Amino acid sequence: NAGVMQNPRHLVRRRGQEARLRCSPMKGHSHVYWYRQLPEEGLKFMVYLQKENIIDESGMPKERFSAEFPKEGPSILRIQQVVRGDSAAYFCASSPLAGGEAFFGQGTRLTVV
Amino acid sequence: QKEVEQDPGPLSVPEGAIVSLNCTYSNSAFQYFMWYRQYSRKGPELLMYTYSSGNKEDGRFTAQVDKSSKYISLFIRDSQPSDSATYLCAMSAEGTYKYIFGTGTRLKVLA
């Protein structure tokens, strides 16, 4: 049973470009969470999604950031017009139940140059 | 004041020692408590998941929750060099689905 799969593992973007981060949850999990981690800091909640629905996006900046979890395919976190401050590790987690045990992927490390 | 406080360490212990890691929190609504281990440049790995107060044991790991004191602990028995990592506590309230994380404690187990 594969764990949470994230790709790419590393992503380099120039300022102003778009970044698309993908997350495939564990089999049987319909709840997906995105977190951002800056160096020496804990994980900060960004958004919680169920299939085709955004449940809580209170941690996601209103500008330039969006997330989706379509009926088919992985969850996508999209960052438009990236800036240097977006450089961070972005982690996706999934759980079988809302608020249940959450299992994390290996993350995508975004570097904006 | 942060919702979840965790001493960043680093904490250095000799191999075989009992390690105690702790978090305090301010939100009395938290009901779900988790401990994660994160190796450098890797994703967090779930170690323990507990609901409400009490103890839970899994192998060398014991998690304790004291809701009256708003204090949770993770004990590691017979610590090994392979336990060297950052340990993150996380918690969430009933009916909400975001986990609030501590900043992590760096642990180094010396051979």
Side-chain angles (χ1 to χ4, degrees), chain B residues 35-50:
Chain B
W35 285 96
Y36 288 87
R37 176 174 64 194
Q38 186 175 27
Y39 292 110
S40 181
R41 306 189 73 76
K42 300 289 187 184
E45 174 192 4
L46 181 64
L47 292 175
M48 301 291 277
Y49 174 84
T50 54

Side-chain angles (χ1 to χ4, degrees), chain A residues 7-18:
Chain A
N7 67 83
R9 291 292 309 276
H10 301 276
L11 182 61
V12 179
R13 283 288 176 266
R14 295 187 185 279
R15 281 177 293 169
Q17 290 185 320
E18 178 180 284

Side-chain angles (χ1 to χ4, degrees), chain A residues 33-97:
Chain A
Y33 315 81
W34 285 93
Y35 285 79
R36 177 162 66 177
Q37 187 175 40
L38 293 168
E40 308 302 322
E41 292 189 17
L43 289 97
K44 303 294 184 190
F45 169 82
M46 297 182 74
V47 61
Y48 160 53
L49 311 101
Q50 292 181 26
K51 279 287 187 182
E52 299 186 271
N53 291 304
I54 297 175
I55 306 301
D56 183 345
E57 55 183 347
S58 60
M60 199 160 64
K62 299 222 179 327
E63 307 276 327
R64 303 188 298 108
F65 285 73
S66 62
E68 62 179 21
F69 188 15
K71 187 176 179 182
E72 302 290 339
S75 175
I76 306 285
L77 178 68
R78 181 191 299 176
I79 311 173
Q80 296 177 301
Q81 299 170 8
V82 296
V83 300
R84 288 229 169 96
D86 296 332
S87 296
Y90 291 84
F91 290 97
C92 166
S94 73
S95 66
L97 301 170

